[in-house]
Amino acid sequence: MEGRLIAMKKLFAILLTLAMVLSLAACGGNDSGNSGDSGDSGDSQQEPAATPADDGGSEGGADIRVAMITDYGDITDQSFNQTTYEASKAWCEANGVEFTYYKPAGDSTAERVAMVEKAADEDYNVIVMPGFAFGETITEVADVYPEISFIALDVSEGDVGGTVPSNVYCAVYKEELCGYMAGVAAVKLGYTHLGYLGGMAVPAVQRFGYGFIQGVDAAAGELGVDATIEYVYGNQFFGDPDITAYTDNWYQNLGVQAVFACGGGICTSAGEAAAKVPGTKVIGVDVDQSFTLDAAYGEGVTLTSAMKGLAATVNHMLDEVVAGNFANYGGKAEALGLVSGDDPSANYVLLPMDTTLWGDGFTQDDYKALVKDMFDGKITVSDDISAMPAVSNITVNDLGNIK
């Protein structure tokens, strides 16, 4: 009996040893692969932890979760936030990806950072952020959340302190180009007393305005007509009774025929004022605002809109994240403008082909020819915002700020 017990103990020991060897072999197999487990330091040849882009590539993007954070507006601002929200949501729905959005409690970096923290806590690993106001937020959170891919729209390299973190992609737009297009269109369609109602004098709004001035000046010179621009900033990105009263004076007393309302919801004041004077127009910004302006203030009140390709940027970047290509974009700031001289709709700055109120003075073919000349370099538009552009053929009344 005792001999049999000893034999059984030896057999048990052998089996236990064999099990341990097999277990260690299995662990060794995992270490030699792309586990990305930075907590296991037992193998000196272990590969480094995966970056956000590597995660997307290895998993085919199937596990991404997308959040969008508003700047200081909301998703009904008829402009930047709303377009970014709608594009992000539509892409996620079409691709079966979980999506949500967050609105900061107030307009401060701390409150925007809090929303990033909330998104991270809830396991969102792609965050879309529209607006230059996110610059400081990015500098605070990018290093804290290296596993998150940040897509920042209208955020420049300067906004993030001069160096774009490797898990951040920044897109800015050449607003001066579509501002120029809108200026040319307005004059050639017969509107020669114009208003520019900017939101706040931030770079993007200035580029829109200064491009608009250059376009009006060029078209007036080509046609040999006099033109005037009343130029002012509301010092806010929403309309209110004071700004409506100011634009009432433009339309009703100064004879302004069309106002380029460049500042998100500030277009509501221009729309309210235009609705009181038949035949006057509003030029929208960022997106095709004809759908909201015409519905609120009368069919045909929107002459055109100087648009950015926000939705196109969102769609492209989310496609790239899913494809595992974010590493090709992270750490970069790109200025998006004209990419085609033959297809205006392919560009990141454009006028709406379907809703612009084309006429004999400026047709769709004229617009296409203008875009081609700009793309080919026959027409150049300055992006300098250090001073208002010099003009040769028009009068610009610089009126400062309403508030």
Side-chain angles (χ1 to χ4, degrees):
M1 174 69 73
E2 182 178 352
R4 220 175 332 176
L5 286 173
I6 292 172
M8 291 178 65
K9 288 180 179 179
K10 287 182 178 180
L11 177 61
F12 179 78
I14 291 169
L15 291 174
L16 180 61
T17 301
L18 180 61
M20 291 175 66
V21 169
L22 291 174
S23 176
L24 288 170
C27 291
N30 284 341
D31 282 345
S32 65
N34 293 326
S35 70
D37 182 3
S38 59
D40 184 355
S41 58
D43 187 348
S44 62
Q45 298 301 313
Q46 182 183 1
E47 295 191 17
T51 65
D54 291 333
D55 283 341
S58 64
E59 297 297 330
D63 61 346
I64 73 167
R65 303 177 78 230
V66 178
M68 176 258 181
I69 302 173
T70 64
D71 54 4
Y72 39 75
D74 59 38
I75 60 170
T76 60
D77 66 359
Q78 305 175 44
S79 187
F80 221 81
N81 287 292
Q82 183 170 348
T83 301
T84 304
Y85 166 78
E86 290 174 352
S88 300
K89 183 173 183 287
W91 186 95
C92 289
E93 288 177 347
N95 289 276
V97 171
E98 188 167 348
F99 170 77
T100 193
Y101 86 99
Y102 302 92
K103 179 181 177 180
D107 179 15
S108 73
T109 295
E111 285 158 320
R112 283 183 278 272
V113 167
M115 293 299 96
V116 173
E117 292 171 345
K118 184 173 176 60
D121 288 345
E122 296 178 357
D123 296 326
Y124 287 91
N125 53 9
V126 179
I127 298 180
V128 183
M129 303 180 294
F132 70 94
F134 280 100
E136 291 185 7
T137 301
I138 289 169
T139 62
E140 291 193 22
V141 303
D143 290 343
V144 178
Y145 300 106
E147 74 282 4
I148 294 178
S149 298
F150 295 96
I151 300 169
L153 308 179
D154 238 22
V155 179
S156 70
E157 195 169 17
D159 292 330
V160 297
T163 301
V164 181
S166 62
N167 58 333
V168 177
Y169 169 70
C170 293
V172 294
Y173 299 87
K174 297 184 178 181
E175 294 93 353
E176 70 278 359
L177 300 182
C178 52
Y180 183 95
M181 297 171 192
V184 170
V187 173
K188 290 194 171 185
L189 289 170
Y191 300 89
T192 56
H193 194 172
L194 301 161
Y196 180 78
L197 175 62
M200 300 176 71
V202 296
V205 177
Q206 289 176 298
R207 285 193 294 268
F208 269 124
Y210 290 2
F212 184 67
I213 290 172
Q214 293 174 73
V216 171
D217 189 50
E222 180 184 337
L223 298 179
V225 300
D226 295 327
T228 300
I229 300 176
E230 313 294 344
Y231 194 103
V232 76
Y233 295 103
N235 209 28
Q236 61 189 42
F237 288 111
F238 56 91
D240 67 12
D242 293 335
I243 294 176
T244 300
Y246 194 96
T247 46
D248 277 339
N249 182 57
W250 275 3
Y251 285 120
Q252 296 178 22
N253 300 320
L254 298 185
V256 168
Q257 300 162 300
V259 172
F260 184 9
C262 182
I266 206 167
C267 67
T268 58
S269 282
E272 289 175 16
K276 301 168 189 173
V277 182
T280 58
K281 304 295 182 185
V282 178
I283 297 171
V285 75
D286 289 336
V287 299
D288 185 354
Q289 291 189 314
S290 65
F291 301 103
T292 52
L293 289 172
D294 284 18
Y297 307 112
E299 187 69 27
V301 74
T302 311
L303 181 62
T304 189
S305 295
M307 304 193 304
K308 300 178 184 179
L310 299 171
T313 309
V314 169
N315 292 336
H316 175 70
M317 287 307 303
L318 292 178
D319 284 343
E320 290 296 277
V321 171
V322 164
N325 296 329
F326 186 80
N328 297 332
Y329 300 87
K332 295 180 181 179
E334 293 185 320
L336 305 178
L338 300 178
V339 296
S340 173
D342 299 317
D343 180 9
S345 66
N347 293 316
Y348 286 96
V349 286
L350 63 162
L351 303 181
M353 193 68 77
D354 294 335
T355 59
T356 295
L357 301 182
W358 310 106
D360 292 339
F362 194 66
T363 65
Q364 287 188 356
D365 287 340
D366 293 330
Y367 168 57
K368 292 177 182 178
L370 172 66
V371 171
K372 182 166 178 55
D373 284 347
M374 294 171 71
F375 181 79
D376 290 343
K378 294 179 181 178
I379 295 174
T380 59
V381 184
S382 173
D383 62 358
D384 181 14
I385 57 172
S386 62
M388 190 170 283
V391 295
S392 303
N393 309 296
I394 66 173
T395 299
V396 180
N397 296 320
D398 186 356
L399 303 170
N401 293 314
I402 296 175
K403 297 185 175 185

